[in-house]
Amino acid sequence: SAVISQKPSRDICQRGTSLTIQCQVDSQVTMMFWYRQQPGQSLTLIATANQGSEATYESGFVIDKFPISRPNLTFSTLTVSNMSPEDSSIYLCSVEDGDRGEQYFGPGTRLTVT
Amino acid sequence: AQSVTQLDSQVPVFEEAPVELRCNYSSSVSVYLFWYVQYPNQGLQLLLKYLSGSTLVKGINGFEAEFNKSQTSFHLRKPSVHISDTAEYFCAVDPPSGSARQLTFGSGTQLTVLP
């Protein structure tokens, strides 16, 4: 299974600022996913990031608010821009193992916006 | 489009008792089914999955789930729970075909094992 790390593990930010979350995988993967988990809620897919192409955003999420980079097959970043308290969530990245039909998740980044 | 319903938001159970966490899904196509567990302040860990074949699937930590196509259910069971099983459990579905794998999660069930 893939091993995924995320940085930072948690952060407290002021409203109006931006935070970039990094996701590193120990193997090359085609597709990476970014999810948001609001307090006490389930996971919601933000976008799918393929290397070499623009990320595909789900309904309700836009690139200006959540720009994503995917410079290579083992790394991706998600930026939460112009933050407000409503952005306080856990942000998780995941990767797909197509052969096994599984997704593996990183430990998450716990973001609090004050 | 698919959706997942976890009917029980919270399930308290005493240690060593059996437990069942319910999951129902709706989809116009066949799906892959998953159960994930999230321990406090941690990411998601795959418990088990159903892709095809036997409808009874065994996972880690003594959990198992049964796929019932006619009832569109994928309930999670454990015959005897431990304190360490206290966690949030998420059921998820994923279409096996198509250009992108996009997991759709249920709202989660908080399992609390009481001493």
Side-chain angles (χ1 to χ4, degrees), chain A residues 75-114:
Chain A
F75 187 78
S76 178
T77 67
L78 169 76
T79 299
V80 187
S81 303
N82 189 24
M83 289 184 284
S84 66
E86 291 72 32
D87 294 320
S88 297
S89 296
I90 300 173
Y91 292 86
L92 301 104
C93 70
S94 74
V95 303
E96 179 193 51
D97 181 337
D99 292 339
R100 294 171 59 85
E102 297 178 14
Q103 280 194 25
Y104 303 104
F105 286 82
T109 295
R110 187 178 295 271
L111 171 62
T112 302
V113 183
T114 61

mmCIF file of all heavy atoms in Angstrom, chain A residues 75-114:
data_model
loop_
_atom_site.group_PDB
_atom_site.id
_atom_site.type_symbol
_atom_site.label_atom_id
_atom_site.label_comp_id
_atom_site.label_asym_id
_atom_site.label_seq_id
_atom_site.Cartn_x
_atom_site.Cartn_y
_atom_site.Cartn_z
ATOM 1 N N PHE A 75 3.812 13.995 -5.831
ATOM 2 C CA PHE A 75 3.639 15.198 -5.011
ATOM 3 C C PHE A 75 2.493 16.056 -5.521
ATOM 4 O O PHE A 75 2.256 16.155 -6.728
ATOM 5 C CB PHE A 75 4.942 16.004 -5.034
ATOM 6 C CG PHE A 75 4.970 17.182 -4.092
ATOM 7 C CD1 PHE A 75 5.185 17.005 -2.740
ATOM 8 C CD2 PHE A 75 4.781 18.477 -4.577
ATOM 9 C CE1 PHE A 75 5.222 18.090 -1.884
ATOM 10 C CE2 PHE A 75 4.815 19.564 -3.723
ATOM 11 C CZ PHE A 75 5.040 19.369 -2.379
ATOM 12 N N SER A 76 1.799 16.675 -4.560
ATOM 13 C CA SER A 76 0.739 17.618 -4.908
ATOM 14 C C SER A 76 0.590 18.624 -3.780
ATOM 15 O O SER A 76 0.945 18.346 -2.624
ATOM 16 C CB SER A 76 -0.593 16.899 -5.127
ATOM 17 O OG SER A 76 -1.639 17.818 -5.422
ATOM 18 N N THR A 77 0.105 19.792 -4.114
ATOM 19 C CA THR A 77 -0.219 20.785 -3.093
ATOM 20 C C THR A 77 -1.631 21.288 -3.305
ATOM 21 O O THR A 77 -2.123 21.367 -4.433
ATOM 22 C CB THR A 77 0.737 21.992 -3.102
ATOM 23 O OG1 THR A 77 0.558 22.747 -4.304
ATOM 24 C CG2 THR A 77 2.188 21.551 -2.959
ATOM 25 N N LEU A 78 -2.261 21.623 -2.188
ATOM 26 C CA LEU A 78 -3.572 22.278 -2.184
ATOM 27 C C LEU A 78 -3.418 23.569 -1.401
ATOM 28 O O LEU A 78 -2.903 23.550 -0.277
ATOM 29 C CB LEU A 78 -4.622 21.390 -1.509
ATOM 30 C CG LEU A 78 -5.967 22.048 -1.189
ATOM 31 C CD1 LEU A 78 -6.791 22.192 -2.458
ATOM 32 C CD2 LEU A 78 -6.750 21.239 -0.159
ATOM 33 N N THR A 79 -3.834 24.657 -1.987
ATOM 34 C CA THR A 79 -3.806 25.939 -1.293
ATOM 35 C C THR A 79 -5.227 26.342 -0.934
ATOM 36 O O THR A 79 -6.121 26.275 -1.786
ATOM 37 C CB THR A 79 -3.145 27.030 -2.157
ATOM 38 O OG1 THR A 79 -1.796 26.652 -2.432
ATOM 39 C CG2 THR A 79 -3.150 28.376 -1.432
ATOM 40 N N VAL A 80 -5.422 26.724 0.304
ATOM 41 C CA VAL A 80 -6.703 27.276 0.740
ATOM 42 C C VAL A 80 -6.508 28.793 0.791
ATOM 43 O O VAL A 80 -5.718 29.281 1.616
ATOM 44 C CB VAL A 80 -7.135 26.723 2.104
ATOM 45 C CG1 VAL A 80 -8.552 27.197 2.436
ATOM 46 C CG2 VAL A 80 -7.079 25.205 2.108
ATOM 47 N N SER A 81 -7.158 29.510 -0.101
ATOM 48 C CA SER A 81 -6.904 30.933 -0.287
ATOM 49 C C SER A 81 -7.920 31.794 0.443
ATOM 50 O O SER A 81 -9.075 31.391 0.632
ATOM 51 C CB SER A 81 -6.946 31.266 -1.782
ATOM 52 O OG SER A 81 -6.033 30.492 -2.514
ATOM 53 N N ASN A 82 -7.453 32.987 0.847
ATOM 54 C CA ASN A 82 -8.352 33.972 1.454
ATOM 55 C C ASN A 82 -9.283 33.295 2.464
ATOM 56 O O ASN A 82 -10.502 33.328 2.344
ATOM 57 C CB ASN A 82 -9.163 34.668 0.370
ATOM 58 C CG ASN A 82 -9.959 35.840 0.906
ATOM 59 O OD1 ASN A 82 -9.613 36.433 1.939
ATOM 60 N ND2 ASN A 82 -11.043 36.176 0.228
ATOM 61 N N MET A 83 -8.672 32.704 3.455
ATOM 62 C CA MET A 83 -9.408 31.841 4.374
ATOM 63 C C MET A 83 -10.407 32.594 5.245
ATOM 64 O O MET A 83 -10.186 33.753 5.627
ATOM 65 C CB MET A 83 -8.432 31.076 5.251
ATOM 66 C CG MET A 83 -7.661 29.999 4.494
ATOM 67 S SD MET A 83 -6.597 29.037 5.555
ATOM 68 C CE MET A 83 -5.256 30.198 5.808
ATOM 69 N N SER A 84 -11.482 31.894 5.553
ATOM 70 C CA SER A 84 -12.483 32.365 6.510
ATOM 71 C C SER A 84 -12.710 31.239 7.518
ATOM 72 O O SER A 84 -12.289 30.099 7.289
ATOM 73 C CB SER A 84 -13.786 32.694 5.786
ATOM 74 O OG SER A 84 -14.353 31.519 5.256
ATOM 75 N N PRO A 85 -13.355 31.538 8.636
ATOM 76 C CA PRO A 85 -13.589 30.481 9.641
ATOM 77 C C PRO A 85 -14.313 29.265 9.072
ATOM 78 O O PRO A 85 -14.113 28.147 9.578
ATOM 79 C CB PRO A 85 -14.430 31.193 10.702
ATOM 80 C CG PRO A 85 -13.965 32.617 10.622
ATOM 81 C CD PRO A 85 -13.731 32.862 9.164
ATOM 82 N N GLU A 86 -15.112 29.457 8.027
ATOM 83 C CA GLU A 86 -15.824 28.333 7.420
ATOM 84 C C GLU A 86 -14.882 27.337 6.745
ATOM 85 O O GLU A 86 -15.290 26.211 6.427
ATOM 86 C CB GLU A 86 -16.843 28.844 6.388
ATOM 87 C CG GLU A 86 -18.027 29.595 6.992
ATOM 88 C CD GLU A 86 -17.652 30.966 7.516
ATOM 89 O OE1 GLU A 86 -16.731 31.599 6.937
ATOM 90 O OE2 GLU A 86 -18.248 31.400 8.522
ATOM 91 N N ASP A 87 -13.658 27.739 6.519
ATOM 92 C CA ASP A 87 -12.667 26.834 5.931
ATOM 93 C C ASP A 87 -12.014 25.927 6.965
ATOM 94 O O ASP A 87 -11.210 25.052 6.616
ATOM 95 C CB ASP A 87 -11.579 27.640 5.204
ATOM 96 C CG ASP A 87 -12.122 28.376 3.996
ATOM 97 O OD1 ASP A 87 -12.963 27.803 3.264
ATOM 98 O OD2 ASP A 87 -11.718 29.542 3.779
ATOM 99 N N SER A 88 -12.351 26.126 8.217
ATOM 100 C CA SER A 88 -11.804 25.260 9.267
ATOM 101 C C SER A 88 -12.279 23.835 9.041
ATOM 102 O O SER A 88 -13.475 23.550 9.097
ATOM 103 C CB SER A 88 -12.249 25.748 10.650
ATOM 104 O OG SER A 88 -11.749 27.045 10.911
ATOM 105 N N SER A 89 -11.340 22.963 8.773
ATOM 106 C CA SER A 89 -11.651 21.584 8.395
ATOM 107 C C SER A 89 -10.389 20.751 8.505
ATOM 108 O O SER A 89 -9.303 21.272 8.727
ATOM 109 C CB SER A 89 -12.145 21.492 6.943
ATOM 110 O OG SER A 89 -13.357 22.175 6.742
ATOM 111 N N ILE A 90 -10.563 19.461 8.279
ATOM 112 C CA ILE A 90 -9.428 18.587 8.017
ATOM 113 C C ILE A 90 -9.361 18.402 6.507
ATOM 114 O O ILE A 90 -10.372 18.097 5.867
ATOM 115 C CB ILE A 90 -9.591 17.229 8.711
ATOM 116 C CG1 ILE A 90 -9.706 17.414 10.224
ATOM 117 C CG2 ILE A 90 -8.409 16.315 8.376
ATOM 118 C CD1 ILE A 90 -10.040 16.130 10.959
ATOM 119 N N TYR A 91 -8.181 18.586 5.963
ATOM 120 C CA TYR A 91 -7.972 18.407 4.529
ATOM 121 C C TYR A 91 -7.117 17.157 4.333
ATOM 122 O O TYR A 91 -6.050 17.029 4.934
ATOM 123 C CB TYR A 91 -7.307 19.636 3.916
ATOM 124 C CG TYR A 91 -8.229 20.838 3.932
ATOM 125 C CD1 TYR A 91 -8.304 21.656 5.052
ATOM 126 C CD2 TYR A 91 -9.053 21.125 2.845
ATOM 127 C CE1 TYR A 91 -9.173 22.742 5.086
ATOM 128 C CE2 TYR A 91 -9.922 22.206 2.869
ATOM 129 C CZ TYR A 91 -9.971 23.007 4.000
ATOM 130 O OH TYR A 91 -10.841 24.074 4.038
ATOM 131 N N LEU A 92 -7.610 16.240 3.524
ATOM 132 C CA LEU A 92 -6.928 14.974 3.316
ATOM 133 C C LEU A 92 -6.613 14.771 1.836
ATOM 134 O O LEU A 92 -7.446 15.089 0.982
ATOM 135 C CB LEU A 92 -7.777 13.792 3.794
ATOM 136 C CG LEU A 92 -8.179 13.774 5.258
ATOM 137 C CD1 LEU A 92 -9.630 14.177 5.423
ATOM 138 C CD2 LEU A 92 -7.962 12.388 5.851
ATOM 139 N N CYS A 93 -5.448 14.236 1.577
ATOM 140 C CA CYS A 93 -5.151 13.810 0.217
ATOM 141 C C CYS A 93 -5.205 12.292 0.169
ATOM 142 O O CYS A 93 -5.016 11.615 1.191
ATOM 143 C CB CYS A 93 -3.818 14.337 -0.274
ATOM 144 S SG CYS A 93 -2.374 13.616 0.496
ATOM 145 N N SER A 94 -5.483 11.788 -0.993
ATOM 146 C CA SER A 94 -5.517 10.346 -1.166
ATOM 147 C C SER A 94 -5.002 9.991 -2.548
ATOM 148 O O SER A 94 -4.965 10.829 -3.446
ATOM 149 C CB SER A 94 -6.934 9.791 -0.967
ATOM 150 O OG SER A 94 -7.755 10.098 -2.074
ATOM 151 N N VAL A 95 -4.609 8.736 -2.693
ATOM 152 C CA VAL A 95 -4.147 8.245 -3.975
ATOM 153 C C VAL A 95 -4.868 6.942 -4.267
ATOM 154 O O VAL A 95 -5.346 6.266 -3.362
ATOM 155 C CB VAL A 95 -2.625 8.038 -4.005
ATOM 156 C CG1 VAL A 95 -1.905 9.322 -3.664
ATOM 157 C CG2 VAL A 95 -2.207 6.916 -3.070
ATOM 158 N N GLU A 96 -4.923 6.640 -5.531
ATOM 159 C CA GLU A 96 -5.631 5.437 -5.942
ATOM 160 C C GLU A 96 -4.647 4.359 -6.362
ATOM 161 O O GLU A 96 -3.679 4.626 -7.066
ATOM 162 C CB GLU A 96 -6.543 5.762 -7.115
ATOM 163 C CG GLU A 96 -7.311 4.576 -7.652
ATOM 164 C CD GLU A 96 -7.950 4.888 -8.982
ATOM 165 O OE1 GLU A 96 -7.254 5.381 -9.883
ATOM 166 O OE2 GLU A 96 -9.155 4.634 -9.114
ATOM 167 N N ASP A 97 -4.927 3.138 -5.892
ATOM 168 C CA ASP A 97 -4.228 1.972 -6.414
ATOM 169 C C ASP A 97 -5.212 1.279 -7.344
ATOM 170 O O ASP A 97 -6.070 0.532 -6.896
ATOM 171 C CB ASP A 97 -3.805 1.053 -5.263
ATOM 172 C CG ASP A 97 -3.043 -0.171 -5.763
ATOM 173 O OD1 ASP A 97 -3.195 -0.549 -6.945
ATOM 174 O OD2 ASP A 97 -2.312 -0.764 -4.963
ATOM 175 N N GLY A 98 -5.108 1.573 -8.604
ATOM 176 C CA GLY A 98 -6.083 1.063 -9.561
ATOM 177 C C GLY A 98 -6.126 -0.446 -9.626
ATOM 178 O O GLY A 98 -7.185 -1.042 -9.825
ATOM 179 N N ASP A 99 -4.958 -1.082 -9.437
ATOM 180 C CA ASP A 99 -4.926 -2.539 -9.525
ATOM 181 C C ASP A 99 -5.725 -3.184 -8.408
ATOM 182 O O ASP A 99 -6.322 -4.246 -8.588
ATOM 183 C CB ASP A 99 -3.477 -3.035 -9.481
ATOM 184 C CG ASP A 99 -2.708 -2.644 -10.739
ATOM 185 O OD1 ASP A 99 -3.368 -2.371 -11.766
ATOM 186 O OD2 ASP A 99 -1.481 -2.594 -10.684
ATOM 187 N N ARG A 100 -5.698 -2.574 -7.251
ATOM 188 C CA ARG A 100 -6.380 -3.149 -6.097
ATOM 189 C C ARG A 100 -7.731 -2.493 -5.850
ATOM 190 O O ARG A 100 -8.460 -2.895 -4.963
ATOM 191 C CB ARG A 100 -5.505 -2.997 -4.865
ATOM 192 C CG ARG A 100 -4.208 -3.809 -4.935
ATOM 193 C CD ARG A 100 -3.270 -3.451 -3.792
ATOM 194 N NE ARG A 100 -3.865 -3.686 -2.488
ATOM 195 C CZ ARG A 100 -3.844 -4.861 -1.868
ATOM 196 N NH1 ARG A 100 -3.274 -5.897 -2.445
ATOM 197 N NH2 ARG A 100 -4.385 -5.000 -0.682
ATOM 198 N N GLY A 101 -8.035 -1.457 -6.629
ATOM 199 C CA GLY A 101 -9.320 -0.792 -6.454
ATOM 200 C C GLY A 101 -9.458 -0.098 -5.126
ATOM 201 O O GLY A 101 -10.538 -0.066 -4.540
ATOM 202 N N GLU A 102 -8.354 0.446 -4.616
ATOM 203 C CA GLU A 102 -8.389 1.063 -3.299
ATOM 204 C C GLU A 102 -7.875 2.490 -3.369
ATOM 205 O O GLU A 102 -7.098 2.858 -4.242
ATOM 206 C CB GLU A 102 -7.495 0.295 -2.316
ATOM 207 C CG GLU A 102 -7.913 -1.114 -2.054
ATOM 208 C CD GLU A 102 -6.957 -1.820 -1.103
ATOM 209 O OE1 GLU A 102 -6.139 -1.143 -0.463
ATOM 210 O OE2 GLU A 102 -7.029 -3.054 -1.019
ATOM 211 N N GLN A 103 -8.305 3.282 -2.407
ATOM 212 C CA GLN A 103 -7.715 4.588 -2.177
ATOM 213 C C GLN A 103 -7.050 4.587 -0.814
ATOM 214 O O GLN A 103 -7.595 4.054 0.149
ATOM 215 C CB GLN A 103 -8.775 5.691 -2.243
ATOM 216 C CG GLN A 103 -9.142 6.102 -3.661
ATOM 217 C CD GLN A 103 -9.922 7.394 -3.722
ATOM 218 O OE1 GLN A 103 -9.838 8.241 -2.820
ATOM 219 N NE2 GLN A 103 -10.678 7.564 -4.789
ATOM 220 N N TYR A 104 -5.869 5.197 -0.768
ATOM 221 C CA TYR A 104 -5.134 5.335 0.480
ATOM 222 C C TYR A 104 -5.115 6.801 0.854
ATOM 223 O O TYR A 104 -4.934 7.664 -0.002
ATOM 224 C CB TYR A 104 -3.716 4.807 0.333
ATOM 225 C CG TYR A 104 -3.658 3.373 -0.123
ATOM 226 C CD1 TYR A 104 -3.331 3.064 -1.438
ATOM 227 C CD2 TYR A 104 -3.951 2.335 0.751
ATOM 228 C CE1 TYR A 104 -3.290 1.753 -1.871
ATOM 229 C CE2 TYR A 104 -3.913 1.020 0.319
ATOM 230 C CZ TYR A 104 -3.585 0.740 -0.985
ATOM 231 O OH TYR A 104 -3.555 -0.555 -1.411
ATOM 232 N N PHE A 105 -5.266 7.058 2.142
ATOM 233 C CA PHE A 105 -5.392 8.429 2.624
ATOM 234 C C PHE A 105 -4.189 8.849 3.440
ATOM 235 O O PHE A 105 -3.605 8.047 4.172
ATOM 236 C CB PHE A 105 -6.655 8.573 3.485
ATOM 237 C CG PHE A 105 -7.913 8.578 2.681
ATOM 238 C CD1 PHE A 105 -8.487 7.399 2.251
ATOM 239 C CD2 PHE A 105 -8.527 9.777 2.337
ATOM 240 C CE1 PHE A 105 -9.639 7.396 1.486
ATOM 241 C CE2 PHE A 105 -9.697 9.790 1.578
ATOM 242 C CZ PHE A 105 -10.243 8.601 1.145
ATOM 243 N N GLY A 106 -3.864 10.121 3.304
ATOM 244 C CA GLY A 106 -2.890 10.713 4.182
ATOM 245 C C GLY A 106 -3.481 10.958 5.558
ATOM 246 O O GLY A 106 -4.693 10.802 5.761
ATOM 247 N N PRO A 107 -2.641 11.384 6.515
ATOM 248 C CA PRO A 107 -3.112 11.588 7.894
ATOM 249 C C PRO A 107 -3.963 12.836 8.064
ATOM 250 O O PRO A 107 -4.597 13.010 9.099
ATOM 251 C CB PRO A 107 -1.806 11.703 8.689
ATOM 252 C CG PRO A 107 -0.820 12.195 7.693
ATOM 253 C CD PRO A 107 -1.199 11.593 6.381
ATOM 254 N N GLY A 108 -3.977 13.691 7.055
ATOM 255 C CA GLY A 108 -4.817 14.885 7.140
ATOM 256 C C GLY A 108 -4.074 16.096 7.685
ATOM 257 O O GLY A 108 -3.071 15.979 8.405
ATOM 258 N N THR A 109 -4.585 17.254 7.325
ATOM 259 C CA THR A 109 -4.106 18.537 7.851
ATOM 260 C C THR A 109 -5.286 19.207 8.531
ATOM 261 O O THR A 109 -6.299 19.492 7.895
ATOM 262 C CB THR A 109 -3.577 19.436 6.724
ATOM 263 O OG1 THR A 109 -2.432 18.840 6.131
ATOM 264 C CG2 THR A 109 -3.233 20.832 7.257
ATOM 265 N N ARG A 110 -5.135 19.438 9.815
ATOM 266 C CA ARG A 110 -6.225 20.047 10.594
ATOM 267 C C ARG A 110 -6.032 21.557 10.591
ATOM 268 O O ARG A 110 -5.087 22.083 11.171
ATOM 269 C CB ARG A 110 -6.211 19.498 12.010
ATOM 270 C CG ARG A 110 -7.394 19.929 12.866
ATOM 271 C CD ARG A 110 -7.290 19.268 14.241
ATOM 272 N NE ARG A 110 -7.427 17.820 14.144
ATOM 273 C CZ ARG A 110 -8.569 17.156 14.194
ATOM 274 N NH1 ARG A 110 -9.698 17.821 14.357
ATOM 275 N NH2 ARG A 110 -8.592 15.843 14.121
ATOM 276 N N LEU A 111 -6.925 22.247 9.928
ATOM 277 C CA LEU A 111 -6.837 23.692 9.767
ATOM 278 C C LEU A 111 -7.896 24.387 10.600
ATOM 279 O O LEU A 111 -9.079 24.039 10.533
ATOM 280 C CB LEU A 111 -7.023 24.065 8.296
ATOM 281 C CG LEU A 111 -7.173 25.550 7.954
ATOM 282 C CD1 LEU A 111 -5.933 26.331 8.346
ATOM 283 C CD2 LEU A 111 -7.488 25.722 6.477
ATOM 284 N N THR A 112 -7.446 25.362 11.385
ATOM 285 C CA THR A 112 -8.362 26.218 12.143
ATOM 286 C C THR A 112 -8.136 27.652 11.705
ATOM 287 O O THR A 112 -7.004 28.133 11.709
ATOM 288 C CB THR A 112 -8.115 26.098 13.655
ATOM 289 O OG1 THR A 112 -8.273 24.728 14.041
ATOM 290 C CG2 THR A 112 -9.096 26.962 14.432
ATOM 291 N N VAL A 113 -9.203 28.311 11.321
ATOM 292 C CA VAL A 113 -9.122 29.704 10.872
ATOM 293 C C VAL A 113 -9.813 30.587 11.907
ATOM 294 O O VAL A 113 -10.978 30.361 12.254
ATOM 295 C CB VAL A 113 -9.786 29.889 9.499
ATOM 296 C CG1 VAL A 113 -9.618 31.338 9.020
ATOM 297 C CG2 VAL A 113 -9.192 28.928 8.486
ATOM 298 N N THR A 114 -9.064 31.561 12.388
ATOM 299 C CA THR A 114 -9.612 32.435 13.436
ATOM 300 C C THR A 114 -9.913 33.821 12.883
ATOM 301 O O THR A 114 -9.398 34.207 11.820
ATOM 302 C CB THR A 114 -8.636 32.556 14.605
ATOM 303 O OG1 THR A 114 -7.409 33.131 14.128
ATOM 304 C CG2 THR A 114 -8.343 31.187 15.212
#
